[in-house]
Amino acid sequence: MKTNKEPKIQDVMTTDDHLTVSFDDGRIVSLPLKWYPRLHRAKPQQRRHWELIGRGYGVHWPDVDEDLSAEGLLKGSPAREYLRSLERTKNEKRREAIAA
């Protein structure tokens, strides 16, 4: 009988540049910290203060009010805030090119 168990987060570690997440199925995912602006702006002490939510299907940083899902992390999905900032930068460059 095949089970469709989704991997759960076991551990989280951050450096100044990366967010690294370990899952209960053995996978380890390391993503650029800049993809998660709230975490990127947070102090190391704030990034170390995390808690699992939803029995490991997500992680929460209460000091910076950031929540990330195991599913999104496994897909390598950046935070929406980061994607919006990329779009703003792209639009600004487009306006500058038109004005030049």
Side-chain angles (χ1 to χ4, degrees), residues 54-74:
R55 297 183 182 162
Y57 291 111
V59 61
H60 174 67
W61 285 266
D63 297 340
V64 295
D65 194 29
E66 180 70 284
D67 297 316
L68 299 175
S69 71
E71 180 182 11
L73 292 165
L74 284 167

Side-chain angles (χ1 to χ4, degrees), residues 3 6 14 20 22 24 26 30-31 34 37 43 49 51 62 67 71 76 83 89 97 100:
T3 62
E6 294 295 320
T14 61
T20 302
S22 301
D24 65 353
S30 186
L31 302 162
K34 70 179 182 180
K43 296 176 182 171
H49 182 209
E51 51 197 40
D67 297 316
E71 180 182 11
L83 296 174
T89 301

Side-chain angles (χ1 to χ4, degrees), residues 10-87:
Q10 275 191 324
D11 194 23
V12 176
M13 188 178 76
T14 61
T15 65
D16 289 340
D17 300 314
H18 290 91
L19 168 65
T20 302
V21 182
S22 301
F23 292 87
D24 65 353
D25 66 356
R27 282 185 271 185
I28 298 172
V29 176
S30 186
L31 302 162
L33 193 62
K34 70 179 182 180
W35 284 7
Y36 308 96
R38 291 180 189 184
L39 294 176
H40 193 247
R41 290 188 301 263
K43 296 176 182 171
Q45 176 182 343
Q46 293 173 308
R47 291 195 302 257
R48 284 191 298 269
H49 182 209
W50 57 271
E51 51 197 40
L52 293 177
I53 54 176
R55 297 183 182 162
Y57 291 111
V59 61
H60 174 67
W61 285 266
D63 297 340
V64 295
D65 194 29
E66 180 70 284
D67 297 316
L68 299 175
S69 71
E71 180 182 11
L73 292 165
L74 284 167
K75 289 179 179 177
S77 301
R80 287 186 203 128
E81 183 180 356
Y82 177 73
L83 296 174
R84 283 191 299 264
S85 72
L86 288 179
E87 189 64 28

